Amino acid sequence: MSEPILEIDNLSVSFFTRHGEIPAVMDFSMTVHAGEAMGLVGESGCGKSTVALAIMRYLGVNGKITAGSIRFRGREMTEISSAELRELRGSQISMIYQEPMASLNPAMRVGQQLMEVPLSHEFISKAKAKKNSLEMLEAVRLSDPERIFSSYPHQISGGQQQRIVIAMALLSRPALLLLDEPTTALDVTVEAGIIELVRDLGQEFGTSMLFVSHNLGLILETCDRITVMYSGETVENGPIKDVFRKMRHPYTQGLLRSIPLPGTDKTARPLISIPGQLPLPHERPSGCNFGPRCSHFESGLCDSEDVPMVSVNDSGHYSRCLRVEKIDWNAVPNAAEHVEKIEMGETILSVNNLSKRYSVSANSWFSNKNSGTVKANEKINFEAKKGQIIAIVGESGCGKSTLAKVLLGLEQASEGDADFEGVNLAHTPVEDRTVKTVGHLQIIFQNPFDTLNPSHTIGKQIIRALEKFNIGKTPENRREKMFELLDMVNLPREFERRVPRQLSGGQKQRVGIARAFAGKPSLVVADEPVSALDVSVQAAITELLTDIQREEQTTLLFISHDLSMVRYLADQVIVMYLGKIVEQGSADEVFSPPYHPYTEALLSAVPIADPDIEKRHIILEGEIPSALNPPSGCSFHTRCHRKIDGLCELETPPLKKLSSGHEIVCHLAEEDLQSMTSVFRIEKNEDTSTVNPAQ
């Protein structure tokens, strides 16, 4: 084992407020060796980011390290001066944050911001700083470095912005790189490219990394070792594959059971969510912090005293559990029960040749002359049946949300029709729709934090929805219906009197679901409803949605970029690229070869939290083209790894019907499509525990 770069021993961090001390991190220990990548995972609020900020000494005026030690290359970080800290930050320790635009100055060109790093930490000329910056732009695989160097941050895409931030962090060749959820806001294809880039650059420069994330698949693909946090303390750590194959803490097992791996199925092998909530810092239980949520809890043992970290084996695998040797880690939990499959009903939504175009003026303030047309949706065709879940997937800018806006009446289609219960949604704005139509077509928004009125109680907000949809004849009737909706989404009736700030993210999303189902909808558009939530909360919300959908026979239009969740949840899948449908069919057909090359690349980009699944890596080069000036021929040919030269860039690809419901728009010959192999290959290690016993 190489020498340690970072050693954290028994670290405790508290924040001091007017209400007293809030212990955020307790007795936390971790070691990162030279050239090693360490993953730090856990639910929101567990203390992951606080640990990273403590290393950088960015805890703010009310944050304080109350105990323990942080040593960087043997140097005690808790005792060095502010001047020494400034020398270390950016030169030997760098940090990449979740939101790239928060790290970039919008008023400065990219080149100026890059040059600041070597000019601040090295005694070099501006010419040398520019040369180093341009070389680093090439190293992070940005095409046309000179143009990027001269651009402002708003003139480049999110993926390019994140690469700029990575370039800034690596310009001084740091010994330690801290990454705090660096790909959360990015498309899965961009995320795959960024992760491959970080991994390769770490190996090239010999940089040690601490990767903070809630995405276990990313951690598995990127890191050598893993530390699992729960409620401010380490509960398990060890070599990455050892922990994934032989998890030895119930919380780690719960996280892995919450993830839709290949093989999970919403009817035969449903996900198992972790019950309860992460405890607040001042409400932590005695003994094991995870005890109240643990199915292996033993009264009188687990709640009697503080639980120490214990060695699991000789490979450096440790767990904070007193019952490691007594738990049957391969047992299939009782919750993994078979659920009856929903029988589809008649067609309730029929979309035919729907197109939505926007005219873009050269100067919309002073001229009416059009300089182009954005084809946001182009000839969209599909049907949705009663009780069906249809997923719409694709990168940002592919037209998913535009299609949802047209169906919801927030935009009107340029051409085509969308028939829903006798109403043509394509040309009927929301203000012209009847109360019945609005109630029967509802939406669950992506961000549960911004969809609730912070000044009104939960009960009042649900009752307002009932009033709008004319449900209940008296205030007493509506209040009782409100309680039934709270029961339906598994929220206590006492929440009637709470305001949104008193709820967690998952609880707020449940309120959003309750409001969406207040009007007894026939069709619900779910726009990324779980992307902002932890994996454990995702599993609970997904289970809730499928249960309600099964009981109410509601059709669900599920918009997402998370193909793991789509594979688990959807009956039908629609894949969109640059405003067009390139493939659609049943989930079984779309997620098995033959694929459209774009679908194949999307699947390849999905991080899988299972070390026994091998995956082909297909990294899409370049950015998604502008919808204002789309490529000729096949719109995907500029990034396609299966492009046929002389054909794909010239001619529009034909629609190929591979089966009764499976359609692909592609130039590839039938024999080429049929010869495709699966993106995933499972090679189970017989000497290991099953990662997800529910499978």
Side-chain angles (χ1 to χ4, degrees):
M1 182 69 72
S2 58
E3 287 296 315
I5 285 287
L6 178 70
E7 299 170 273
I8 303 177
D9 293 323
N10 308 117
L11 177 70
S12 293
V13 178
S14 292
F15 291 91
F16 294 87
T17 71
R18 60 184 178 182
H19 299 295
E21 180 182 355
I22 300 175
V25 175
M26 307 168 302
D27 190 31
F28 179 87
S29 299
M30 180 179 68
T31 300
V32 181
H33 293 270
E36 182 180 64
M38 170 68 79
L40 185 57
V41 303
E43 293 171 283
S44 297
C46 72
K48 307 186 301 293
S49 295
T50 301
V51 169
L53 293 172
I55 296 169
M56 296 289 284
R57 296 279 300 278
Y58 280 148
L59 293 172
V61 294
N62 66 334
K64 183 179 179 182
I65 297 172
T66 56
S69 168
I70 302 174
R71 293 186 299 279
F72 173 69
R73 286 181 161 172
R75 194 175 182 182
E76 183 55 58
M77 294 286 288
T78 62
E79 298 175 355
I80 63 177
S81 66
S82 298
E84 290 173 307
L85 267 175
R86 284 194 296 271
E87 180 63 30
L88 283 175
R89 293 171 182 159
S91 61
Q92 296 187 50
I93 306 176
S94 292
M95 190 165 183
I96 299 172
Y97 297 92
Q98 178 173 345
E99 176 52 58
M101 274 305 287
S103 305
L104 296 173
N105 188 330
M108 291 176 62
R109 297 183 188 276
V110 167
Q112 292 175 276
Q113 301 184 58
L114 286 167
M115 289 171 61
E116 275 189 338
V117 178
L119 289 174
S120 299
H121 297 286
E122 303 172 39
F123 295 102
I124 60 174
S125 65
K126 287 187 177 180
K128 179 64 174 176
K130 180 177 180 179
K131 179 176 180 292
N132 291 351
S133 299
L134 288 169
E135 288 175 351
M136 186 56 73
L137 288 178
E138 291 183 2
V140 297
R141 301 172 194 166
L142 280 168
S143 57
D144 198 358
E146 289 282 358
R147 181 185 65 82
I148 298 289
F149 187 88
S150 303
S151 300
Y152 287 98
H154 71 270
Q155 295 176 313
I156 57 180
S157 69
Q160 290 172 328
Q161 289 169 2
Q162 193 62 283
R163 288 170 190 253
I164 296 298
V165 173
I166 292 171
M168 290 173 65
L170 293 173
L171 260 173
S172 58
R173 305 293 197 271
L176 177 64
L177 182 63
L178 310 179
L179 302 99
D180 188 4
E181 302 274 10
T183 62
T184 299
L186 304 177
D187 283 313
V188 65
T189 50
V190 180
E191 177 182 77
I194 294 292
I195 290 306
E196 183 185 55
L197 171 68
V198 169
R199 187 174 56 238
D200 292 349
L201 290 175
Q203 293 172 355
E204 178 182 346
F205 297 128
T207 304
S208 302
M209 292 189 290
L210 177 61
F211 198 122
V212 178
S213 180
H214 67 268
N215 189 325
L216 289 160
L218 284 184
I219 294 296
L220 177 61
E221 292 189 0
T222 313
C223 299
D224 306 301
R225 295 175 62 82
I226 184 173
T227 296
V228 183
M229 282 191 77
Y230 181 80
S231 190
E233 61 186 12
T234 308
V235 295
E236 186 166 8
N237 60 28
I240 191 83
K241 292 187 177 179
D242 198 14
V243 172
F244 272 75
R245 285 176 173 148
K246 294 183 178 180
M247 80 293 289
R248 287 299 179 265
H249 194 280
Y251 178 61
T252 310
Q253 187 181 57
L255 287 177
L256 290 165
R257 284 176 176 166
S258 301
I259 300 171
L261 299 174
T264 50
D265 182 273
K266 65 180 178 182
T267 55
R269 295 167 182 169
L271 299 179
I272 304 167
S273 60
I274 302 174
Q277 302 287 334
L278 191 78
L280 295 173
H282 59 280
E283 295 177 351
R284 291 184 175 113
S286 59
C288 176
N289 280 341
F290 188 62
R293 305 174 69 186
C294 182
S295 59
H296 304 290
F297 177 80
E298 185 178 314
S299 180
L301 173 67
C302 300
D303 56 357
S304 60
E305 58 185 21
D306 290 343
V307 182
M309 293 289 286
V310 296
S311 177
V312 173
N313 55 34
D314 296 332
S315 67
H317 187 177
Y318 293 86
S319 172
R320 194 182 296 271
C321 181
L322 297 173
R323 305 196 64 220
V324 169
E325 301 299 330
K326 297 179 181 179
I327 295 174
D328 182 358
W329 297 100
N330 292 313
V332 177
N334 295 330
E337 298 174 354
H338 176 82
V339 180
E340 291 299 322
K341 192 172 183 179
I342 299 175
E343 292 296 325
M344 306 300 170
E346 71 282 359
T347 298
I348 68 164
L349 174 67
S350 179
V351 178
N352 299 299
N353 290 321
L354 188 145
S355 298
K356 174 61 183 177
R357 305 185 188 98
Y358 298 94
S359 295
V360 179
S361 175
N363 190 324
S364 58
W365 287 98
F366 303 108
S367 170
N368 292 321
K369 184 178 179 181
N370 291 338
S371 60
T373 301
V374 174
K375 297 179 180 179
N377 290 147
E378 192 68 12
K379 296 190 181 301
I380 304 296
N381 292 280
F382 70 92
E383 290 185 346
K385 299 182 182 298
K386 187 176 178 64
Q388 188 177 37
I389 298 180
I390 297 182
I392 302 179
V393 301
E395 295 169 285
S396 298
C398 73
K400 307 187 299 292
S401 294
T402 300
L403 175 59
K405 289 177 182 177
V406 171
L407 296 178
L408 291 163
L410 304 177
E411 299 277 2
Q412 291 188 63
S414 304
E415 294 175 4
D417 303 296
D419 182 72
F420 172 70
E421 297 182 345
V423 178
N424 188 354
L425 301 177
H427 303 286
T428 309
V430 65
E431 59 268 22
D432 294 339
R433 296 181 183 181
T434 64
V435 171
K436 178 183 176 183
T437 300
V438 173
H440 283 198
L441 176 55
Q442 282 291 294
I443 183 169
I444 301 170
F445 294 97
Q446 175 177 356
N447 194 337
F449 310 100
D450 296 336
T451 57
L452 298 174
N453 189 321
S455 302
H456 291 179
T457 64
I458 299 305
K460 185 180 291 186
Q461 297 189 56
I462 295 176
I463 287 174
R464 178 173 171 78
L466 295 170
E467 290 172 347
K468 289 289 184 182
F469 300 136
N470 298 324
I471 294 175
K473 296 181 179 179
T474 66
E476 291 75 19
N477 291 152
R478 293 189 182 108
R479 187 164 184 260
E480 186 55 39
K481 179 60 180 175
M482 178 268 296
F483 283 136
E484 291 175 8
L485 288 167
L486 288 177
D487 294 341
M488 182 180 73
V489 297
N490 298 326
L491 287 177
R493 292 193 171 195
E494 307 87 74
F495 277 34
E496 173 201 14
R497 295 183 295 276
R498 293 196 182 185
V499 290
R501 69 174 181 272
Q502 296 174 306
L503 274 60
S504 69
Q507 289 169 339
K508 289 175 185 174
Q509 192 61 290
R510 288 171 186 263
V511 175
I513 293 170
R515 287 198 312 183
F517 280 87
K520 295 188 176 296
S522 307
L523 175 65
V524 172
V525 178
D527 187 7
E528 302 271 13
V530 296
S531 64
L533 305 175
D534 287 312
V535 291
S536 55
V537 184
Q538 279 185 10
I541 295 297
T542 303
E543 181 185 22
L544 172 66
L545 271 177
T546 52
D547 287 346
I548 296 173
Q549 189 240 0
R550 185 176 292 108
E551 293 169 9
E552 304 291 332
Q553 285 286 294
T554 307
T555 303
L556 203 62
L557 205 60
F558 189 79
I559 297 173
S560 181
H561 68 269
D562 184 347
L563 271 77
S564 295
M565 189 60 72
V566 166
R567 179 179 52 227
Y568 168 75
L569 198 61
D571 304 305
Q572 192 83 0
V573 179
I574 295 172
V575 183
M576 292 185 67
Y577 185 79
L578 214 59
K580 299 178 181 179
I581 294 177
V582 297
E583 182 171 7
Q584 66 174 308
S586 71
D588 290 338
E589 291 170 327
V590 171
F591 288 109
S592 301
Y595 313 106
H596 186 282
Y598 180 56
T599 309
E600 185 180 29
L602 287 178
L603 286 171
S604 164
V606 177
I608 303 297
D610 188 337
D612 296 315
I613 292 181
E614 288 192 0
K615 184 180 69 173
R616 283 193 288 121
H617 287 272
I618 303 167
I619 303 299
L620 290 181
E621 300 296 333
E623 303 291 326
I624 187 169
S626 169
L628 183 62
N629 185 26
S632 59
C634 174
S635 57
F636 184 58
H637 84 261
T638 58
R639 305 169 73 198
C640 184
H641 55 286
R642 294 182 180 271
K643 185 180 79 169
I644 303 172
D645 290 328
L647 176 62
C648 294
E649 60 264 50
L650 299 176
E651 297 183 18
T652 302
L655 175 67
K656 296 184 177 179
K657 297 192 175 184
L658 304 182
S659 66
S660 58
H662 190 194
E663 300 177 348
I664 291 180
V665 178
C666 189
H667 281 301
L668 288 176
E670 193 80 27
E671 55 269 25
D672 293 330
L673 290 170
Q674 297 300 336
S675 65
M676 283 186 179
T677 57
S678 177
V679 170
F680 305 113
R681 185 176 65 181
I682 300 177
E683 292 188 356
K684 219 52 177 173
N685 188 327
E686 296 180 359
D687 189 39
T688 61
S689 306
T690 305
V691 168
N692 188 342
Q695 297 182 55

